[in-house]
Structures are given as C-alpha cells and as structure tokens.
Amino acid sequence: MKKHNSYKIGVIGGAGYVGLVTSVGLASLGHNVLSQDLNLNRINLLKKGKSEVYEEGLENILSDLIFQKFINFTDNIEETIRHSDVVFVAVGTPSLSDGRADMSQIISVAEKLRDLIDHYTIVVVKSTVPVGAIEVIQDILSEKLSIGEDFDVVSNPEFLREGSGLIDFYNPSRIIIGCNSEFSGSVLREIYKPLLDREFKVRNPFSNKNQIIEILLTDPVSAQMVKYASNAFLASRISFINEIAGISEKVGGNISDIIYGIGLDPRIGSDYLKPGIGFGGPCLDKDLRALITLSEENYFDSVMLNGVLRRNDLQLQEVINKINIVLGSSLYKHRISILGLAFKEGTNDVRHSLSIRLAKFLIEQGAIVTGHDILATNEAALMEDKLIVSENLNDVLNQAEIVIILNSEKIYSEINWSNISPKTYVIDTRGIVNISELEKHSIKYDVLGTK
Ligand code: UGA
C-alpha cells in the first residue's frame, strides 16, 4: 500500500455510536468508507440516511455523503474487509460481572480478519480494549498472516462525547496513535490530515478554526493507557466534586460558588465539575472498572480509583435520602417526577443511565414515577415499563409531589413555576433551577451541595 490522500476504509461495528461517528467523520474527510454492522435494522435505516443514534447534524451530513458515494453501509463483513486498506474496529466491549471487558466481539472480528485479509491491511482498534488486547489481536492474525507484510495493528482510541460527537471528531483535543510500525503510524496520520487543513476547517461548519490538533505517535500500550487514564481522571473529577458537594451541604456552603472559586485556579479549571447523581453512560464506569481490574491483575492496589467508584456507587443514595426526608420512608403511591432520563443531556442514550436506575428503585418502592426527557422518552419507556414517560413538561410537573432535576437541559432552568402547585417540592441535583422564581411562588426546594 502506498501513502495517498484518500483511503478505502472499512468500519466494523459501524452502526454503534463510535462506529457511526467515525464512519461519517472519515467519509467527510474524503475517504471511501464501507461501514459494516450486524444490526440489519440499523444498517437499512443508515442506507436511507436515518440514524437511531441521535447526534446533532449527523443525518444531514450522512445524506450528503451517501449521495456523493463517499459512504455505504452493509452487514457483510467479508465485503468490508476485502474493500479496505484500513479497517477500523469499533465493536462493543461491555463490562463482564467481574469488571473485565468482554472481548468476545473483538476476538470474533480478529478471527474474521485472519481468515479474510487478502492484501496488506491496517487494523485500527477504536474500541476501548484492555491493555494487552492489541497483542491478542496480533497473535490471532499471525496464525495465518505475517505482521508487517499482510497486516499491522494500531490502537487509535476515541475521545468522543455523546451529544457532541461530531464537534469532537472535527476538533479533537488530540489524536493518539499507538503503533509498532512507522508505516502504519504514517498512514493514520495521513488519514486524519484533512482535519489539520485550514481550507477544510473553513469549509466545515463543525470545525473550530483556532483549534490546535496534536497528533501523538506512541506504542499501543501507552495509547490505551491514555484512554483509560483520561476517562478515570474525568470520573475522579466528578466523584471529587460530588464529595465536596456532600460536605458543603453539611457545613452550609454553596456549591456553585465553590466550583467557581476553585475553577479560578487555572491548574484546576471549572470544566467537568458539575455535581449530580454520579457518572452514568456506557463509558466512564466501564472503563474505570476495567482499569481497576487491570491494576489488580498486576498486583497494584489502586486505592484512589476504587474510591472514585465507591463515591459514584453511593451518590444515588444521597438523592434517595433527600426524597425520604420529604416523603418519609414509605414511598408507596407517592408521585415523583424525574426530569432527564438519558444518561446525560443532549443524547437519547439511556444505557447505564442513573436516572433510569433511580426510577426503577422508586417504582420498586411503590412510587408512581413520571419522567421527562427531550430526546429519550421512547428509549426510557423501553427500559422500564412502569415508568410513565411524557414529552409534555407541564404534565410531568403538575403530577408531582416531588420533582427531581437530574440533567442540565436548558429548559429545566427556564421552567415557569407560576402554574405549579406550591405544594410541589423540587430537588435539583444540577444546581440549575431558578431559585428566586421558586421562592417567589413559595415552592420548597433542595439544591445538591447547597444548604
Ligand atoms: C466520556 C468522555 O467524556 C469522552 O471523552 C470519552 O470519549 C467517552 O466517555 C468514551 O469513552 O467513549 P460520555 O460518556 O459521552 O463521554 O459523557 P460525558 O459527557 O463524559 O458524561 C459522562 C457522565 O458524567 C454523565 O452521566 C454526565 O452526566 C456525568 N457528568 C459529566 C457529571 O456528573 N458532571 C460533569 O461535570 C460532567
């Protein structure tokens, strides 16, 4: 394979969140992308330019790319591997019950690659796989193929946040390439090169013209550790601020002022320090557990990372305690409304949503739980059939004895409380509610982290 501007790229697991954003992103950089997934339903929708995964702007770009024939979708893995100079692997690595990542999908893809590669192919692992997995993949491929001649394996972790995946793709804080061969590293650099190009940035509405994009070439283990350490660090910021919020509440502090105050130190900054019910979603918890398991397997006691996880596991109870203070210990037939059902704002993803976990717990206690979300009502309803979901915010507010705000969607900070019964009690875990409005309408409230 020679270095050039446009590559034939295959994406395996292309209908999942990471796979889809990667497929669309790479196609828009001018590469010819064939995106494969076993989920035929999603593939058929994607062929028509429709995505089950919500990401702002994605469907528009997708339709253009399909029309211009930069991207196509298939459920056929053989066709994808044969088509490609470079195969990105973005299949899932869910947590097993013991905290390790489930490698079965990765292994099955590696076996397919071993059996089907018929020309030099670079295999790029996007999925967050345990350290050591790159060697496992290499070993599987080496059963029939020669490393360096028939294939190379590269680790290229992703740092996309759900809800701003396209912005993150076009403006990455860094591109990490973990490779053992200079050639494969240079091809990966070439693939991402348009992102650094001034003309591309000017043309692309998602690009921030001033963003400096660093590309780090390193070994595969270090590349994977960058990914795990980044997510563990982000998780530790959340557990840290949740713990400070708990202490602040006990001693009579105001968490918003505290965050502002500590954030003024440029070494700390105030980003990613929002307290709440803890970190949910498909990544932080899973990756943190995998890192802890990795350290245990290597006889290293990760005291701090265990603490981060423990605080997160306790955090939901803080909200339940607040509910019990208002309603007493029996929640039977009490009406509780939850605002924000996805695992965070700006997405329809309810996987590992702590809002859903809270709803299930309250329902088990006999409470009547109504939930609101801008994007995830259908998805949430599928997770818990006794959860009453509604897109009508006023309905949800009017039915409740307690309203709990769980994500920072703007509409929740702009609620008009004038029509809501003063008997309603508001628990705001995000510190976004308009307190003077609540007080004006004699509505009682509790803001997490603030006395
Ligand atoms: C996270 C990382 O932020 C991405 O960099 C990474 O690529 C991704 O995981 C991944 O490994 O795939 P994501 O899970 O989409 O991204 O969402 P975040 O915005 O990080 O939020 C995770 C959880 O933390 C959510 O439940 C959110 O509500 C919570 N959170 C976040 C807080 O409670 N406070 C904050 O200040 C920020």
Side-chain angles (χ1 to χ4, degrees):
M1 188 205 302
K2 291 218 175 86
K3 279 205 286 174
H4 41 86
N5 293 333
S6 166
Y7 288 87
K8 287 186 168 180
I9 291 179
V11 179
I12 297 180
Y17 181 77
V18 172
L20 181 57
V21 175
T22 304
S23 301
V24 169
L26 291 172
S28 69
L29 299 185
H31 303 296
N32 182 322
V33 175
L34 182 57
S35 192
Q36 180 273 351
D37 204 287
L38 293 175
N39 186 329
L40 196 54
N41 188 31
R42 282 191 174 187
I43 287 293
N44 286 335
L45 281 172
L46 286 165
K47 281 184 175 176
K48 294 182 207 144
K50 297 269 164 254
S51 163
E52 266 185 26
V53 170
Y54 176 79
E55 196 61 45
E56 209 174 336
L58 187 102
E59 287 190 350
N60 287 345
I61 305 185
L62 183 57
S63 304
D64 279 357
L65 291 168
I66 293 172
F67 182 72
Q68 295 174 59
K69 300 205 171 5
F70 277 112
I71 194 166
N72 205 346
F73 293 90
T74 179
D75 63 336
N76 185 331
I77 195 163
E78 176 164 357
E79 186 192 352
T80 310
I81 294 171
R82 304 249 197 251
H83 157 93
S84 310
D85 305 320
V86 183
V87 173
F88 283 74
V89 181
V91 294
T93 52
S95 268
L96 292 167
S97 54
D98 60 4
R100 285 177 308 126
D102 179 351
M103 284 282 293
S104 55
Q105 292 184 56
I106 292 276
I107 289 174
S108 140
V109 170
E111 288 169 347
K112 290 266 172 10
L113 288 161
R114 173 198 64 196
D115 297 340
L116 294 168
I117 282 178
D118 60 0
H119 59 281
Y120 174 78
T121 304
I122 299 175
V123 177
V124 184
V125 182
K126 269 272 157 212
S127 311
T128 307
V129 290
V131 173
I134 299 291
E135 286 67 30
V136 173
I137 297 167
Q138 272 172 195
D139 287 349
I140 295 174
L141 268 71
S142 298
E143 288 167 0
K144 288 194 182 160
L145 305 164
S146 298
I147 190 160
E149 256 172 59
D150 300 319
F151 76 92
D152 274 304
V153 183
V154 175
S155 164
N156 175 219
E158 57 81 22
F159 301 98
L160 307 172
R161 289 161 304 166
E162 290 197 24
S164 43
L166 285 173
I167 291 179
D168 290 346
F169 182 89
Y170 293 115
N171 307 287
S173 46
R174 70 285 206 202
I175 294 171
I176 307 288
I177 300 169
C179 53
N180 289 321
S181 90
E182 217 173 281
F183 179 71
S184 58
S186 66
V187 169
L188 262 282
R189 246 180 200 285
E190 240 11 73
I191 286 175
Y192 286 114
K193 206 167 157 197
L195 287 176
L196 312 166
D197 180 50
R198 177 109 201 129
E199 256 176 55
F200 178 84
K201 285 186 181 190
V202 171
R203 259 186 293 124
N204 178 27
F206 288 91
S207 290
N208 170 357
K209 279 116 215 119
N210 302 320
Q211 171 86 17
I212 294 165
I213 301 171
E214 287 268 356
I215 298 185
L216 171 67
L217 278 179
T218 181
D219 61 274
V221 170
S222 304
Q224 290 170 273
M225 280 302 287
V226 170
K227 169 68 185 185
Y228 277 117
S230 299
N231 273 2
F233 192 77
L234 292 172
S236 67
R237 280 180 78 97
I238 299 170
S239 280
F240 169 83
I241 205 62
N242 282 337
E243 205 142 302
I244 296 297
I247 301 170
S248 158
E249 210 170 284
K250 298 277 182 227
V251 298
N254 176 322
I255 194 65
S256 304
D257 288 351
I258 296 169
I259 294 169
Y260 185 72
I262 56 180
L264 289 173
D265 183 333
R267 291 171 303 173
I268 300 174
S270 54
D271 268 1
Y272 221 83
L273 276 182
K274 263 189 286 173
I277 48 167
F279 47 84
C283 304
L284 294 195
D285 182 273
K286 174 182 77 106
D287 292 354
L288 185 59
R289 284 176 201 277
L291 188 55
I292 291 170
T293 308
L294 178 74
S295 76
E296 280 166 1
E297 284 168 356
N298 288 280
Y299 306 102
F300 186 82
D301 195 358
S302 50
V303 185
M304 184 182 142
L305 299 182
N306 274 297
V308 172
L309 198 55
R310 175 130 177 79
R311 164 49 48 211
N312 206 50
D313 288 342
L314 290 174
Q315 197 60 15
L316 202 60
Q317 190 58 44
E318 298 292 324
V319 180
I320 295 167
N321 292 346
K322 288 180 189 298
I323 299 170
N324 289 140
I325 288 171
V326 182
L327 297 178
S329 57
S330 168
L331 302 180
Y332 185 68
K333 290 261 189 274
H334 279 295
R335 286 168 289 110
I336 301 174
S337 287
I338 288 179
L339 308 189
L341 299 169
F343 83 88
K344 65 171 186 180
E345 49 285 332
T347 174
N348 64 346
D349 194 347
V350 290
R351 287 175 297 165
H352 303 282
S353 160
L354 296 176
S355 305
I356 300 288
R357 195 181 295 171
L358 177 64
K360 279 182 189 284
F361 173 83
L362 299 175
I363 289 166
E364 276 161 25
Q365 301 298 305
I368 301 161
V369 183
T370 309
H372 177 272
D373 199 285
I374 302 182
L375 299 167
T377 43
N378 294 339
E379 292 77 2
L382 290 173
M383 296 290 281
E384 170 55 62
D385 56 5
K386 290 202 179 115
L387 172 67
I388 306 157
V389 291
S390 172
E391 278 164 15
N392 185 324
L393 184 54
N394 276 330
D395 276 1
V396 175
L397 292 171
N398 279 319
Q399 285 172 29
E401 292 164 72
I402 293 197
V403 171
I404 313 172
I405 300 176
L406 292 178
N407 77 26
S408 349
E409 211 67 74
K410 195 157 167 259
I411 54 161
Y412 302 149
S413 59
E414 293 170 348
I415 291 172
N416 176 359
W417 295 99
S418 63
N419 301 323
I420 312 299
S421 160
K423 285 195 190 137
T424 312
Y425 191 93
V426 176
I427 298 175
D428 176 12
T429 68
R430 290 303 201 178
I432 58 162
V433 77
N434 186 334
I435 286 172
S436 48
E437 275 300 300
L438 288 176
E439 288 178 346
K440 194 161 116 197
H441 301 292
S442 309
I443 294 174
K444 293 207 175 69
Y445 61 86
D446 181 329
V447 176
L448 187 90
T450 301
K451 189 75 190 163

